[in-house]
Amino acid sequence: MEFRKIGLSISEAKQIDMIGYLSVIGFEPDKIRGFDFWYRSPLRIENTPSFKVNRSLNRWYDHGIGKGGNLIDFGILFFDCTVAELLKKLDDGFSFQTPVVGLPKMTGERENRISVIGDYLLSSPALITYLGQRRIPIDLAGIYCREVRYEMDGKKYFGIGFRNDLGGWEIRNPYFKGSSSPKGPTTFKNSSQDAVVFEGFMDFLSFLSLHKNIPFESYDYIVLNSISFFERARDFLESHERIWLYLDNDKAGKDCAAYALSLDRRYTDESSLYKYHKDLNDFLVNFGRPPDLL
């Protein structure tokens, strides 16, 4: 019988393939030149790719902020956390799925691509329990989500799937957060003059749960599915008279909200509603608990 070693070490984390890890958290390169993979920076908002990962060295450099390093250095900036917190995120996020450590080296097309092989009505007891833990009603989730079966690195898994406008899926289960290509935002258009913006679909579902007495058609909605898609979403957003931001309370979310407010007076940052929480879903999960107990 095999027992999994408890905890991921710093040396193991540094061995994680940066290209594979960026893909798992939702970032794909805009161009590839030899060993250099160029991205629009995950650390800030930009139109022209200036974030480079050298595949051979397994190191990154963001030309826009003049910083670089290994995956530990990236994770600390991306999640705005300590080394210990990052190691726990890496360990928790991949404990029961294919681990990021040891992802196959890429040659041309990515070999560890997530491939969705079917989608069905939500019925798995494990996924229904997970939604309950996130305080998302199953009847609400069933309207906007599907149970997807997907394959990664030759192994099959299942999760909650949320489709984007391009046909790709955001996939969640208790042990995994990932996406299938193509990746992009998800919009719901109701001809409203108000648009509501979320980073992830759990926040979108949380908003609907918290506002269940408000007709769905009162707003147009966009789930970015990655903060890096904000710029791409601006044409849709700025076709509205009022734009309500429900972004995460991390560095990336706060930076994006500040950027949006600098662009146009139609943007309103609603994060003060959940200022003691990391995002809207965390607010929903802990609703009614005093801040000093969080």
Side-chain angles (χ1 to χ4, degrees), residues 20-292:
Y21 181 70
L22 287 170
S23 179
V24 168
I25 64 172
F27 297 96
E28 301 289 350
D30 279 48
K31 61 182 179 180
I32 303 172
R33 298 289 184 269
F35 288 113
D36 292 334
F37 288 62
W38 291 88
Y39 299 78
R40 277 179 277 188
S41 177
L43 302 174
R44 55 198 171 78
I45 299 168
E46 66 173 355
N47 289 322
T48 303
S50 66
F51 182 95
K52 181 182 75 173
V53 178
N54 183 280
R55 183 92 203 212
S56 177
L57 300 175
N58 198 33
R59 295 180 70 86
W60 62 276
Y61 187 80
D62 190 322
H63 290 266
I65 60 176
K67 293 183 179 180
N70 54 45
L71 187 131
I72 295 283
D73 303 309
F74 169 78
I76 290 170
L77 289 174
F78 184 76
F79 292 109
D80 192 21
C81 66
T82 66
V83 173
E85 290 169 338
L86 176 64
L87 292 176
K88 187 176 187 306
K89 285 176 182 290
L90 293 171
D91 198 52
D92 289 349
F94 300 93
S95 294
F96 294 91
Q97 297 273 353
T98 302
V100 178
V101 176
L103 279 175
K105 296 298 182 181
M106 284 175 33
T107 54
E109 286 297 311
R110 184 161 57 90
E111 296 172 2
N112 60 304
R113 182 183 300 276
I114 296 173
S115 175
V116 173
I117 54 181
D119 65 279
Y120 315 89
L121 291 174
L122 283 167
S123 61
S124 165
L127 297 181
I128 292 172
T129 298
Y130 174 59
L131 286 166
Q133 292 169 345
R134 305 294 292 265
R135 296 189 67 175
I136 304 297
I138 182 60
D139 56 342
L140 176 65
I143 298 172
Y144 304 101
C145 302
R146 301 280 286 175
E147 183 169 318
V148 297
R149 306 296 169 91
Y150 63 98
E151 187 173 48
M152 185 170 67
D153 296 339
K155 297 182 180 180
K156 292 182 173 63
Y157 307 101
F158 64 94
I160 300 164
F162 181 75
R163 193 189 292 270
N164 65 44
D165 292 348
L166 301 178
W169 294 89
E170 296 299 309
I171 303 171
R172 303 288 184 273
N173 66 36
Y175 315 114
F176 178 76
K177 178 180 179 180
S179 57
S180 69
S181 297
K183 189 169 172 66
T186 305
T187 54
F188 297 92
K189 301 176 182 178
N190 296 311
S191 299
S192 173
Q193 292 304 309
D194 291 70
V196 189
V197 190
F198 310 93
E199 282 191 49
F201 72 86
M202 284 294 179
D203 295 324
F204 165 67
L205 296 175
S206 299
F207 179 89
L208 298 182
S209 181
L210 288 164
H211 297 83
K212 56 188 175 184
N213 295 323
I214 298 176
F216 180 76
E217 296 77 15
S218 299
Y219 302 98
D220 285 358
Y221 306 85
I222 182 164
V223 182
L224 298 174
N225 295 320
S226 171
I227 198 70
S228 63
F229 292 135
F230 175 79
E231 199 68 35
R232 185 185 301 184
R234 281 185 58 193
D235 284 347
F236 169 78
L237 291 172
E238 291 170 15
S239 67
H240 295 81
E241 291 183 3
R242 293 165 293 274
I243 310 159
W244 311 96
L245 302 170
Y246 288 84
L247 305 179
D248 291 359
N249 268 330
D250 57 11
K251 185 177 185 302
K254 290 177 180 177
D255 287 350
C256 185
Y259 172 68
L261 295 178
S262 74
L263 292 172
D264 197 301
R265 295 176 62 183
R266 289 176 291 174
Y267 287 98
T268 301
D269 181 8
E270 292 291 298
S271 64
S272 61
L273 169 67
Y274 47 96
K275 62 182 178 181
Y276 298 112
H277 305 269
K278 63 181 181 180
D279 55 32
L280 189 60
N281 181 248
D282 188 48
F283 170 78
L284 175 63
V285 169
N286 293 284
F287 188 78
R289 296 181 63 189
D292 58 342

